[in-house]
Amino acid sequence: MSGPESVDSGEQRYRVAELGPEEPAVLLAPRLARFAAVARLEHVTQAAALLGVPQPTLSRAVAGLEEELGVDLLARQGRTVRLTRAGRLLLASVERALAELERGAEAARAEADPAVGLVAFGFLHTMGPDAVPALLRGFRAEHPRVRFQLVQDYGAAMLERLRAGELDLCLVAPLPEDPAFAARPLDEQRLHLVVPADHRLAGRRRIRLAEVAEEPFVGLEQGYGLRAITDGFCAEAGFVPRLAFEGEEAETLRGLVAAGLGVALLPPALVPRPGVVELEVTAPRTRRAIGLAWAAGRPLAPPARAFRDFVLSRRGRLLQHD
């Protein structure tokens, strides 16, 4: 078994404790709060009343702690006690540890607080400029103190983060078929064929996808949902797209199209992009389903559950701008 590691908590680095049946952290932890109560009050009876435990139980806990450490922590004077030098040294660390534990417990409770908890929410890059801000604005109108950790990524990566528990919910396309995830469709988004402004088809409004079978394409890299969807539509039209360039972001692809480097199947641009023309594809029906996914069988904390229910209530209205 490997030894303890150094962990960065975000505020400070600390060495994690060894864990095992004979390790000090495991043996001492249950007794530390009882020792701290006696040390603070310097009175066993009062400490027992504070903790709500019988006095003999408290006395045995402190005696067991002393026996385990092999030092006297308290100097007993009748019903009162005084800390020894060893007791003062231990108390300083115990108080820090208990305060940190209390802070961690409060943070954990806050995560599940429906009023102020945290929702880890992932979404596709193409959902970021408009759809997601609209969702958050609508939800925060009723839950103004809920906090969000927002993650933009491609679909497969977000599903892995869902599986690992790093995300609560994510907007994905296509919807996962893996039974490890629960998913609900929300909306359909048109995909247009984007061509350079001086392209031979730029004067058209509608085309069949097969008409560009011999054209070079620019598309997202393998692993991206939109790439799989594009490949599927091209296969339906009877050809395999010839990828001249691959990228990671839809607007970058539009720039490549504007430069005359290929054509692309992309969601509609929110703001018209100079140098390109977007054509409606009549065959096949180039639409992608967008849905909400979460880990199946893993209960959502109240704030995440509330946000999930809100997003699902927007079914059919997620892409009102489209």
Side-chain angles (χ1 to χ4, degrees), residues 11 103-123 132 135-137 139-151 166-169 301-308:
E11 297 179 359
R103 190 174 74 88
E106 290 174 353
R109 283 193 293 266
E111 289 292 292
D113 187 330
V116 299
L118 177 72
V119 179
F121 179 45
F123 51 93
V132 168
L135 282 176
L136 297 178
R137 181 177 62 245
F139 181 74
R140 289 291 294 273
E142 297 181 4
H143 303 82
R145 298 171 62 199
V146 169
R147 297 166 294 122
F148 281 85
Q149 175 190 349
L150 301 178
V151 174
E166 297 174 12
L167 290 176
D168 297 313
L169 304 158
R305 189 166 61 246
F307 185 61
R308 179 195 62 187

Side-chain angles (χ1 to χ4, degrees), residues 17-318:
E18 290 275 15
L19 296 180
E22 302 300 323
E23 297 298 339
V26 175
L27 294 170
L28 303 182
R31 301 167 178 155
L32 296 182
R34 293 179 175 183
F35 164 69
V38 175
R40 289 178 189 177
L41 297 175
E42 297 185 334
H43 199 288
V44 177
T45 302
Q46 293 176 7
L50 174 67
L51 296 176
V53 300
Q55 180 177 326
T57 299
L58 183 57
S59 297
R60 285 195 299 271
V62 175
L65 181 59
E66 291 178 314
E67 181 179 353
E68 184 63 40
L69 293 175
V71 295
D72 290 332
L73 301 174
L74 302 171
R76 292 157 179 82
Q77 301 172 352
R79 293 185 177 182
T80 63
V81 295
R82 293 287 185 272
L83 283 170
T84 64
R85 182 173 181 275
R88 288 194 298 273
L89 290 172
L90 178 62
L91 181 63
S93 294
V94 168
E95 293 288 18
R96 287 195 297 270
L98 293 176
E100 185 65 18
L101 178 61
E102 185 175 66
R103 190 174 74 88
E106 290 174 353
R109 283 193 293 266
E111 289 292 292
D113 187 330
V116 299
L118 177 72
V119 179
F121 179 45
F123 51 93
L124 302 168
H125 289 278
T126 52
M127 298 287 100
D130 194 55
V132 168
L135 282 176
L136 297 178
R137 181 177 62 245
F139 181 74
R140 289 291 294 273
E142 297 181 4
H143 303 82
R145 298 171 62 199
V146 169
R147 297 166 294 122
F148 281 85
Q149 175 190 349
L150 301 178
V151 174
Q152 288 179 273
D153 214 330
Y154 64 97
M158 287 193 295
L159 292 177
E160 285 308 306
R161 296 180 76 162
L162 268 186
R163 193 190 305 273
E166 297 174 12
L167 290 176
D168 297 313
L169 304 158
C170 64
L171 285 177
V172 291
L175 275 64
E177 298 180 357
D178 189 331
F181 305 107
R184 300 289 184 274
L186 290 172
D187 218 332
E188 283 192 336
Q189 185 179 49
R190 292 194 302 271
L191 299 179
H192 291 160
L193 184 75
V194 184
V195 301
D198 59 357
H199 191 274
R200 61 184 176 83
L201 299 173
R204 301 262 298 273
R205 293 183 58 191
R206 301 179 180 86
I207 67 157
R208 291 174 293 106
L209 194 57
E211 294 181 67
V212 292
E214 301 302 320
E215 300 273 349
F217 273 69
V218 298
L220 297 178
E221 296 175 352
Q222 290 287 353
Y224 283 72
L226 185 57
R227 170 63 181 273
I229 291 170
T230 295
D231 289 349
F233 284 136
C234 290
E236 192 175 342
F239 69 96
V240 176
R242 178 166 55 89
L243 267 292
F245 293 91
E246 296 179 332
E248 297 181 346
E249 206 275 323
E251 289 309 306
T252 299
L253 299 185
R254 275 196 176 82
L256 295 174
V257 173
L261 300 175
V263 300
L265 271 180
L266 294 173
L270 295 177
V271 178
R273 174 70 181 256
V276 300
V277 174
E278 299 193 5
L279 308 177
E280 181 182 346
V281 180
T282 59
R285 184 174 178 268
T286 53
R287 288 177 175 264
R288 65 171 178 171
I290 297 173
L292 186 69
W294 60 94
R298 182 189 302 151
L300 291 171
R305 189 166 61 246
F307 185 61
R308 179 195 62 187
D309 294 346
F310 173 81
V311 175
L312 293 180
S313 75
R314 302 284 298 175
R315 183 174 181 177
R317 295 178 290 143
L318 180 68

